[in-house]
């Protein structure tokens, strides 16, 4: 039973370039979340996928950010025209999303991708 | 809108001393509350959670937290700190059906020998 995996673990890019970050959730988990953790700060919610429902994109900071998920598997977070303020650790989490509520829906986090924009 | 405040970005205790990490939330409806721990170069791990029922919640590694509605608090405690407890701790709240977590800014716990 592998946990949530993310790749790459580290990404250094130049300002203005596009980047893609990948998340492989735990098999069978229908819900997937992306969060951003800036240096010295807590995690900020970015986007949430649940099954075939429309994703909750309310946390995306700008239209340069987008994410996709193929069915109930891999998700890709794309940042276009990266800026220095995008430098952060991007964390992915997944959960079973049962009907019982948050008590049944522990989010399991991946190790994150550290993005550095020069 | 809900928010989470963690007092103290850094807390330093001696090994064997009481650990107290503070968390206050703002919410117009009863929240679900969580504490996560992040060890260096690792992902977040759930320590404990409060959803309904007993307000004193016990978690892993000897940690516990008490939900106090009147004080809108969910402070994390451990009677005796161990060197292995050194990590960053995050308090989080969720309200709605999407279960997205709203995190505090984190508290780094340092344990002195």
């Amino acid at each position: 039973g592998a946990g949530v995996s993310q790749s790459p673990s580290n990404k250094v890019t130049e300002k203005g370039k596009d980047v893609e970050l990948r998340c492989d959730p735990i098999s069978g988990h229908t819900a997937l979340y992306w969060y951003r953790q800036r240096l010295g700060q807590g995690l900020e919610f970015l986007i949430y996928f649940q099954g075939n429902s429309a994703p909750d994109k309310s946390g995306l900071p700008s239209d340069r950010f987008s994410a996709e998920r193929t069915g109930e598997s891999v998700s890709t977070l794309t940042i276009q025209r990266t800026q220095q303020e995008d430098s952060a650790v991007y964390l992915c989490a997944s959960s079973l999303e049962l009907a019982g509520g948050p008590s049944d829906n522990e989010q399991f986090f991946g190790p994150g991708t550290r993005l550095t924009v020069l | 809108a809900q928010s989470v405040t963690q007092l103290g970005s850094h807390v330093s205790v001696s090994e064997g001393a009481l650990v107290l990490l503070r968390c206050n939330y703002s919410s117009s409806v009863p929240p679900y509350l969580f504490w996560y721990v992040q060890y260096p170069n690792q992902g977040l791990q759930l320590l404990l959670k409060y959803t309904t029922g007993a307000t004193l919640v016990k978690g892993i590694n000897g940690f516990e937290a008490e939900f106090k509605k009147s004080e809108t608090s969910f402070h994390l405690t451990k009677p005796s700190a161990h060197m292995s407890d050194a990590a960053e701790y995050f308090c989080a709240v969720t309200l709605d059906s999407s279960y997205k977590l709203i995190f505090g800014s984190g508290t780094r716990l340092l344990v002195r020998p």
Side-chain angles (χ1 to χ4, degrees), chain A residues 33 35 37 40-45 48 56 58-59 89 91 95 97-112 114, chain B residues 6 9 32 34 36 38 41-47 49-52 88 90 94-106 108:
Chain A
Y33 304 77
Y35 296 87
Q37 184 179 19
Q41 299 183 26
L43 282 72
E44 305 168 70
F45 166 77
Y48 156 68
D56 177 351
S58 60
V89 176
L91 289 159
S95 71
E97 202 80 344
L98 300 174
S103 63
D104 298 323
N105 286 287
E106 177 180 346
Q107 292 184 27
F108 293 84
F109 284 80
R114 182 175 299 278
Chain B
Q6 291 184 241
S9 59
Y32 301 110
F34 305 80
Y36 282 83
Q38 186 176 34
N41 300 316
Q42 295 187 29
L44 273 74
Q45 180 182 2
L46 181 66
L47 265 182
K49 61 188 175 187
Y50 168 79
T51 53
T52 59
E88 188 143 25
F90 293 95
T94 185
L95 295 175
D96 60 28
S97 60
S98 75
Y99 312 137
K100 61 190 179 191
L101 293 164
I102 308 299
F103 283 86
S105 56
R108 185 169 297 278

Side-chain angles (χ1 to χ4, degrees), chain B residues 7-108:
Chain B
L7 290 177
S9 59
H10 292 78
V11 170
S12 180
V13 301
S14 298
E15 191 174 18
L18 171 72
V19 175
L20 170 60
L21 305 183
R22 299 178 186 275
C23 173
N24 289 85
Y25 67 91
S26 66
S27 170
S28 57
V29 297
Y32 301 110
L33 296 156
F34 305 80
W35 275 99
Y36 282 83
V37 60
Q38 186 176 34
Y39 297 103
N41 300 316
Q42 295 187 29
L44 273 74
Q45 180 182 2
L46 181 66
L47 265 182
L48 49 79
K49 61 188 175 187
Y50 168 79
T51 53
T52 59
T55 56
L56 181 62
V57 180
K58 295 186 184 297
I60 61 172
N61 301 337
F63 284 93
E64 62 183 36
E66 186 171 11
F67 169 55
K68 292 187 177 181
K69 184 178 179 180
S70 62
E71 299 176 9
T72 61
S73 69
F74 191 57
H75 301 331
L76 181 70
T77 61
K78 181 174 180 177
S80 177
H82 192 273
M83 296 297 290
S84 61
D85 295 327
E88 188 143 25
Y89 293 80
F90 293 95
C91 182
V93 61
T94 185
L95 295 175
D96 60 28
S97 60
S98 75
Y99 312 137
K100 61 190 179 191
L101 293 164
I102 308 299
F103 283 86
S105 56
T107 298
R108 185 169 297 278

Side-chain angles (χ1 to χ4, degrees), chain A residues 36-59:
Chain A
R36 177 172 70 176
Q37 184 179 19
R38 287 172 157 162
L39 186 64
Q41 299 183 26
L43 282 72
E44 305 168 70
F45 166 77
L46 296 177
I47 188 169
Y48 156 68
F49 296 91
Q50 164 55 344
N52 295 321
S53 302
D56 177 351
K57 304 180 181 180
S58 60

